[in-house]
Amino acid sequence: DVQLVESGGGSVEAGGSLRLACEHSGVGGRYCVGWLRQGQGKDREVVASMDDLNYVTYADSVKGRFTISKDDAKNTLYLQMDSLKPEDSAKYYCAAKRGWCSWSSGDFNYWGQGTQVTVS
């Protein structure tokens, strides 16, 4: 059974940084883990993802500002968010799927409870 638990959200001023963490269990074999977000009144979108071969993708809106990484020994996925903007405000979710990564949030089968990020 796959479980994902996020932490690290909060409030920050524009230009600031936050780091999100996602402790996961039950993820193995060919898989993709990622960070997705949903702003108020917006669709859920994939922000960054990483597969088991460490292939990484980023949404254009966060390239150069966000960094996804993972620590396999700790079963933890991270999202370092720098130069935050008000438009980054959203609920951020850690999610996973079997097989290749996808840009469609609907393809992710497993979700954490989400953590709020607010940039003012």
Side-chain angles (χ1 to χ4, degrees), residues 4-99:
L4 306 161
V5 180
E6 303 99 333
S7 61
S11 297
V12 65
E13 292 185 352
S17 298
L18 283 172
R19 189 174 83 153
L20 306 182
C22 170
E23 292 186 48
H24 58 82
S25 61
V27 177
R30 292 305 322 278
Y31 67 88
C32 172
V33 287
W35 292 97
L36 291 79
R37 68 185 180 187
Q38 186 166 22
Q40 195 167 7
K42 298 181 180 180
D43 293 332
R44 197 170 289 187
E45 62 174 346
V46 177
V47 174
S49 63
M50 175 183 281
D51 66 17
D52 56 291
L53 300 178
N54 297 326
Y55 182 77
V56 173
T57 58
Y58 294 98
D60 287 343
S61 59
V62 306
K63 278 181 182 176
R65 300 189 298 120
F66 290 11
T67 304
I68 189 172
S69 63
K70 60 185 175 77
D71 185 333
D72 290 333
K74 296 181 178 180
N75 286 337
T76 302
L77 180 73
Y78 301 98
L79 185 68
Q80 177 67 41
M81 304 185 293
D82 298 318
S83 303
L84 282 161
K85 304 176 181 180
E87 52 263 43
D88 294 318
S89 297
K91 193 164 188 179
Y92 283 71
Y93 298 87
C94 176
K97 67 178 294 294
R98 305 292 183 191

